Amino acid sequence: PPPGQSPSSSSSSSAVLNEDRPPTLTAYLQAVSDELGAFGGDKKKLLYASMQQFASAFARPQRKKLLRKKFMAFDVANSGFLKKAAFLMAVDKAVSEGFVDVYNEVHTKRLAGFFFPRADTNKASYEKLLEIVFARDTEAALAFHEAQLNQR
């Protein structure tokens, strides 16, 4: 190895430079995951999986209650509606305070993107959102999404 480099750093850099190697299983699985994450797969199944994970993370009554309290706290106008940024901040606050150990931020961001397709203008009733997500009702979610797209 050149002076100042350890033998291990030299071998790892040569391994990175070897682009003729076949892709690893990890790289392949990451590519498949990325494709599904971009709705390249079945949109309903992906939506259902995200709702399932989110609902499972907040399934305990005290966690669901904490989540609702955080939504209310971020609803400064006391209107029952939140924008995307407030939704994400409220969920993040509930996760940090509620010791939610099975939480996956990817699913929450996917749900936020789905339920708030126009982040700057969309507002959503958090009670209706919770009802749809905890029921894991993909048909109601798709109808809600369509209404959000038409919201002015």
Side-chain angles (χ1 to χ4, degrees), residues 52-60 63 100-104 134:
Q52 174 72 33
Q53 193 284 329
F54 187 90
S56 295
F58 293 98
R60 292 184 181 164
R63 288 182 184 166
V100 180
D101 49 351
V102 293
Y103 173 72
N104 185 331
F134 284 108

Side-chain angles (χ1 to χ4, degrees), residues 98-140:
F99 305 106
V100 180
D101 49 351
V102 293
Y103 173 72
N104 185 331
E105 190 176 10
V106 172
H107 292 290
T108 301
K109 286 183 177 180
R110 184 176 296 134
L111 289 175
F114 183 80
F115 287 118
F116 301 91
R118 296 185 306 156
D120 296 338
T121 57
N122 285 144
K123 286 185 176 181
S125 162
Y126 48 85
E127 293 295 339
K128 185 70 175 166
L129 276 177
L130 290 175
E131 178 185 320
I132 291 170
V133 172
F134 284 108
R136 298 158 183 90
D137 186 348
T138 54
E139 294 304 319

